[in-house]
Amino acid sequence: MASKGATLDMSRFFGTRKEKIGFCQDLLADDIHTLFEITRAFFNLPHEEKVKVEHAPEANPNRGCSYVGQENVANISGHEKGVGPGTTRDIKETLDMGCPDDSLVDNLWLLEEGLPGFRSFMESFYSKAFQTELNILSALAITLGISEEHLRLLYCRAENEFRLLHYPAIPASELSDGFATRIAEHTDFDTSTMLFQDSVGGLQVEDQTQPGVFHDVESSACTDIILNIGDSLQRLTNDTFKAACHRVTYPPTVKANGDEIIPERYSIAYFAKPNRNAPLLPLTEFITDETLCKYDSITAWE
C-alpha cells in the first residue's frame, strides 16, 4: 500500500505481462459484487443464527464469527505505542475462514438452510482469490528479479485467511474518546492483503515518512483491489518493503466529534500468507555487505 493509498487496476497491469505470468481472469467483477451481497446477507442474520458459528473465546484457531467487541486488534499491535490491552476497543464484527482443505483447522459453516449457497460461494471465491494471489506473487518476482518459482513455492499450500467485516452504524461521538475505533492501527502478519471495501470510507494508512500521520484510502468501486504490504513481505525483503500500518476510523465525510451517524461499512480481506512451515529468513537477493540480514529465520506459523 502506498503511503497515500493506491488501488491496483488488475486487468490493466497484468494485461501487459499476460504472456509471461499466465494471468488468470477467474476473479471477476460479478464475483466481487456477489461477495458483498452475500456478506451483507450473513451479517443481517439474527444474532442467534450467527452465533451458531461463533468464534472460540481464545485467539486461535481464527475461525468463525466474532461479535462486536470480542476482538481487539490493539491487544497485539499497540504495545510499542502504549495502546495495549484494556486501552482501546474495536467496533466491528467479523467472520473468519480459511482454506477448505486446511489439514490443521476446519472452517465453521452454517447449515445450508441457514444461508443457502453461502459455503459453496465462499469456497469458490477463496480458490479464485488464491489464483490471483499467485499472479501477484509472479508479478512481484518479475519486478524484483527474484525466482518466481521459489516465491510461489512458499505459498503453494494456500494456507491463507479470508475475513468478512461489518462495522455497524454508530454515532461519530462514540469514537471521540480516543479509545474506541472501528479497528485499531495495526500491520498485517501476511505477505500482502487483498482488500475490497465499499464506498463508506474510513480506511487510513500511516505515512511511512511521517509516523503518526494517516491518509485516507478510498475506493472508486467495490471491485477495486487494495494491496496492503504485510509483515512477512517486510521480513522476506529485509525491510526493502515495509509493512503498512493502517486503521479504520471516521470516514472523510464525517466530522470528528460531531453528532452525525457514521454509516455501516462492509469490507472483505483476503490475507495471502506463506505456508505455515515456510522460513521467513530474508531472501539472499536482499542481503549484501552494505545491507546486513535484519531477521532471524522463523517459520510463518511461528
Side-chain angles (χ1 to χ4, degrees):
M1 186 182 286
S3 62
K4 291 193 176 182
T7 57
L8 180 62
D9 182 342
M10 298 286 289
S11 60
R12 179 166 59 85
F13 176 78
F14 283 116
T16 62
R17 311 199 74 138
K18 190 172 182 178
E19 71 291 342
K20 191 163 186 178
I21 64 173
F23 175 52
C24 173
Q25 299 185 32
D26 283 339
L27 196 55
L28 302 175
D30 284 349
D31 295 317
I32 298 169
H33 285 297
T34 302
L35 175 64
F36 274 91
E37 291 172 6
I38 203 166
T39 295
R40 292 187 187 94
F42 174 83
F43 287 115
N44 282 333
L45 290 172
H47 176 73
E48 56 268 23
E49 285 296 308
K50 289 184 284 190
V51 296
K52 291 179 180 178
V53 289
E54 186 175 7
H55 194 295
E58 59 272 9
N60 288 303
N62 193 29
R63 297 290 185 270
C65 184
S66 299
Y67 55 81
V68 174
Q70 182 175 355
E71 181 186 79
N72 183 353
V73 169
N75 282 352
I76 56 173
S77 66
H79 295 290
E80 294 179 0
K81 298 182 180 180
V83 287
T87 60
T88 64
R89 62 185 187 279
D90 290 354
I91 304 175
K92 69 180 189 305
E93 56 179 337
T94 63
L95 177 66
D96 290 289
M97 297 160 279
C99 181
D101 302 319
D102 195 319
S103 60
L104 183 65
V105 183
D106 291 327
N107 287 321
L108 302 177
W109 299 109
L110 293 172
L111 295 176
E112 179 66 14
E113 56 266 30
L115 195 59
F118 182 82
R119 176 175 181 173
S120 61
F121 176 81
M122 289 300 172
E123 290 183 340
S124 173
F125 192 96
Y126 187 101
S127 177
K128 293 176 181 180
F130 176 58
Q131 292 304 314
T132 301
E133 170 199 344
L134 293 178
N135 293 331
I136 292 170
L137 290 170
S138 291
L140 183 65
I142 292 167
T143 302
L144 296 177
I146 62 179
S147 169
E148 182 180 345
E149 180 182 8
H150 175 68
L151 192 61
R152 288 171 63 115
L153 278 174
L154 294 178
Y155 298 82
C156 63
R157 295 179 59 84
E159 293 173 340
N160 302 320
E161 294 193 357
F162 186 27
R163 163 168 279 203
L164 314 182
L165 297 105
H166 174 230
Y167 302 86
I170 55 170
S173 58
E174 193 161 341
L175 305 185
S176 62
D177 63 4
F179 296 107
T181 183
R182 287 193 140 177
I183 187 168
E185 58 188 70
H186 65 285
T187 59
D188 295 336
F189 291 139
D190 60 0
T191 299
S192 66
T193 304
M194 288 189 283
L195 181 71
F196 310 87
Q197 63 172 353
D198 61 21
S199 59
V200 171
L203 175 64
Q204 295 183 332
V205 61
E206 187 173 31
D207 191 323
Q208 294 186 348
T209 66
Q210 302 179 76
V213 175
F214 284 80
H215 301 285
D216 295 313
V217 182
E218 299 182 66
S219 297
S220 59
C222 67
T223 50
D224 288 346
I225 302 177
I226 298 169
L227 292 179
N228 179 29
I229 292 171
D231 301 332
S232 295
L233 186 57
Q234 178 170 327
R235 294 182 69 98
L236 286 172
T237 63
N238 204 29
D239 285 0
T240 300
F241 288 119
K242 295 290 185 68
C245 181
H246 54 288
R247 66 188 183 187
V248 178
T249 182
Y250 299 98
T253 56
V254 175
K255 182 179 179 182
N257 306 323
D259 296 327
E260 295 176 76
I261 297 295
I262 301 177
E264 67 176 348
R265 177 181 184 269
Y266 292 92
S267 66
I268 296 101
Y270 186 87
F271 300 101
K273 293 187 169 186
N275 302 334
R276 292 189 181 103
N277 64 355
L280 293 186
L281 186 70
L283 300 172
T284 56
E285 290 86 350
F286 299 97
I287 302 171
T288 67
D289 292 339
E290 294 75 29
T291 307
L292 301 179
C293 182
K294 299 179 180 180
Y295 297 99
D296 296 326
S297 181
I298 62 171
T299 65
W301 184 237
E302 291 169 324

